Amino acid sequence: MTSKQSTKNRILDAAEALFADRGFAETSLRTITHRADVNLASVNYHFGSKKSLIQAVFDRFLQGFVKGLDAEMKPLEASQVAPSVEQVLHTLVKPLMTMDDRRHQGSSNFMKLLGRAYAESQGHMRRFMQEHYAAYLARFTSLLHRAAPDLTNSEMFWRLHFMLGTVIFTLAGSDALRDIAAADFRESVSLEQTLERLLPFLAAGFRAQPINSLKNVS
Amino acid sequence: MTSKQSTKNRILDAAEALFADRGFAETSLRTITHRADVNLASVNYHFGSKKSLIQAVFDRFLQGFVKGLDAEMKPLEASQVAPSVEQVLHTLVKPLMTMDDRRHQGSSNFMKLLGRAYAESQGHMRRFMQEHYAAYLARFTSLLHRAAPDLTNSEMFWRLHFMLGTVIFTLAGSDALRDIAAADFRESVSLEQTLERLLPFLAAGFRAQPINSLKNVS
DNA sequence: GTATGTTTCAAACAGTTGTTTAGATTTTGT
DNA sequence: ACAAAATCTAAACAACTGTTTGAAACATAC
């Protein structure tokens, strides 16, 4: 079926890198194909359109990510005892790390991409993810519920998204932050260290006592 | 000096709204000038270029924001007793609220914009903010330091940015989240309620015990 | 070998982009 | 009222966008 495996992947690689540090609209097909060293028309031939290319880039990443996430979640799901919030959050670390150094490019290419996608085009990507990867989100949510059974569903929902925001945002801008930190504190931190720094913050926030007031007249 | 106050502001208003829900690159000057009902060339005449327009939009917002923030921080700075983390974070609420309904457009226009700007163009905006509004950031950081004196500078730095990420990210996508929450839990929440929900999360995260392990062999 | 289907390629397409120009119109200072 | 400066306007500019085309090159099968 596929004679040359390369072209399609060359395009995906180039697109992923360029999207990450320029944005979607700011990256032209000509730039992509030039970097991939393929003909301009190939992207339309192989993917149909630029929009489909973007989706393809995401799919390739997310499939790799959820495969790793699945492996991490399974033992927690199988266990009889309820996991801690930290344990649940920790399922994200290894998959993120793997995704990070699978790409050759210096640092977390893809997180920038995710951050962009989330900000871009009125939540179009948020919807895409929630449709295509709803099952994994449900499993993750379920684990969190076991870890913190006293939180209401509504509160869970919000805090899950708070955490999601923090992770994506931090990882998306992590090189910039790392540079500043390196300059100001003479500490050089790896992605893993950033994640380990992030988890206690998230876990504590997630477990925080919900608002007591707001309408404390009762 | 200024004969007609309108044109420049009409452009700013239109640009702000359009940038917020389409993105910068995705919004053309023609779309802006059409919505503002002014001539295409006016934006180049008044602002010089599209890039300058973007900066002008931000400056207008940020100046309003820091004015409100300043008013909120002053009493805390004047007080002899150290503020709580919650109190410090609460200085953000009113300015954000004011900025939100100053604009006529339905919901938090500008937070989307901020979210975009942060994601966009390799932290170019992050740098801009840190340069132009460094004084306010320093005061805020100083307050936080009084509220949690036992945190190291390095840890402070990271957690400040964690919080920043959560706020921007949440507020940027808040309408989408509110829609989902409304559908799933039949609860309709205002921006203020979202913020009040956010603060305990942030405060708890900020106060969390830093990583003890990472290299717990000692 | 020819035939068949797939992939690559250069060129052109139609449309949009930000910016500039030069002339009209309006506002301002005196 | 007049001159000068500021503002607005329509039109055109060159550059770039994603996509399409039709022929060339390639691979595979018979």
Side-chain angles (χ1 to χ4, degrees), chain A residues 1 3-4 7 30 39 41 45-46:
Chain A
M1 307 227 172
S3 55
K4 233 212 276 175
T7 299
R30 281 168 177 82
N39 187 272
Y45 175 77
H46 282 287

Side-chain angles (χ1 to χ4, degrees), chain B residues 1 3 7 30 39 41 45-46:
Chain B
M1 306 230 171
S3 55
T7 299
R30 281 166 178 82
N39 188 272
Y45 175 75
H46 282 287

Side-chain angles (χ1 to χ4, degrees), chain A residues 40-159:
Chain A
L40 167 62
S42 350
V43 41
N44 283 284
Y45 175 77
H46 282 287
F47 297 95
S49 67
K50 185 183 182 181
K51 194 173 260 181
S52 308
L53 207 213
I54 298 179
Q55 281 211 349
V57 169
F58 271 95
D59 254 354
R60 183 174 69 153
F61 171 83
L62 287 176
Q63 273 168 21
F65 175 72
V66 294
K67 204 181 121 193
L69 181 62
D70 175 70
E72 294 288 318
M73 289 196 297
K74 263 188 179 139
L76 293 188
E77 292 170 324
S79 168
Q80 292 284 33
V81 311
S84 70
V85 175
E86 280 83 354
Q87 278 180 303
V88 178
L89 296 181
H90 215 277
T91 59
L92 300 170
V93 175
K94 203 145 73 172
L96 282 177
M97 295 290 303
T98 311
M99 289 299 103
D100 188 52
D101 56 33
R102 182 160 69 81
R103 321 265 165 239
H104 24 292
Q105 178 111 354
S107 56
S108 66
N109 221 338
F110 199 85
M111 284 301 117
K112 286 191 247 171
L113 238 178
L114 234 176
R116 270 182 207 291
Y118 240 70
E120 213 124 342
S121 75
Q122 36 194 14
H124 152 282
M125 183 49 71
R126 198 191 297 249
R127 230 171 296 131
F128 171 82
M129 275 183 54
Q130 267 173 349
E131 284 172 14
H132 288 249
Y133 297 91
Y136 292 93
L137 180 64
R139 285 173 59 193
F140 190 79
T141 309
S142 168
L143 279 174
L144 271 181
H145 189 71
R146 285 182 61 194
D150 42 331
L151 276 185
T152 69
N153 279 346
S154 155
E155 208 69 48
M156 271 275 303
F157 167 83
W158 284 99
R159 299 199 171 181

